[in-house]
Amino acid sequence: MAATDDVAYVEHPLLAPEVVERRRYQTELAATARSAHTLVCLPTGLGKTTVSLLVTAGRLADVGGKALFLAPTKPLVQQHAAFYREALRIDDDEVVVFTGEVRPEDRAALWDDARVVVATPQVVENDLIGGRVSL
């Protein structure tokens, strides 16, 4: 745990330094979510995205593979992708955005090289039905 001016930060090989403040409820939620199916219900602004980031960093470090993050609207998809690019120590182009604005053929190609896909549920559903991606 790193500390700067009485603020503690989460340390992890895949997290940028001094980006994620350590909040016990978030780290405990992330630990639970890494070990079991979990639905996190928190009021706006209390860190559901941070919890998902902690889970994602842990899974990518431990087992590799790909993470899929779903958000209901295009603005939220873009917001979450920007946060992941800032907070994760992976190449920015490994965090890809899938919305209706990205052509289906392009999404299929991007899927293979992505480590984190941030998308709307409708786009992922359409790509699964169309056989462009596989979970």
Side-chain angles (χ1 to χ4, degrees), residues 40-123:
V40 176
C41 297
L42 293 172
T44 298
L46 288 184
K48 293 179 291 290
T49 305
T50 299
V51 171
S52 74
L53 174 75
L54 296 173
V55 173
T56 298
R59 294 281 300 176
L60 290 176
D62 292 347
V63 297
K66 188 180 312 290
L68 174 60
F69 184 109
L70 299 177
T73 66
K74 178 185 157 194
L76 278 174
V77 165
Q78 293 170 333
Q79 177 183 330
H80 296 315
F83 176 62
Y84 269 51
R85 287 182 183 120
E86 173 191 359
L88 283 175
R89 285 183 171 173
I90 63 175
D91 291 337
D92 283 356
D93 60 355
E94 291 182 297
V95 178
V96 299
V97 169
F98 283 13
T99 65
E101 290 186 359
V102 181
R103 294 177 2 162
E105 302 78 24
D106 295 337
R107 292 193 305 262
L110 289 168
W111 178 267
D112 292 333
D113 295 328
R115 290 183 74 188
V116 177
V117 175
V118 187
T120 59
Q122 299 83 1
V123 168

Side-chain angles (χ1 to χ4, degrees), residues 122-133:
Q122 299 83 1
V123 168
V124 173
E125 179 183 37
N126 290 339
D127 286 347
L128 287 168
I129 290 169
R132 288 179 289 277
V133 301

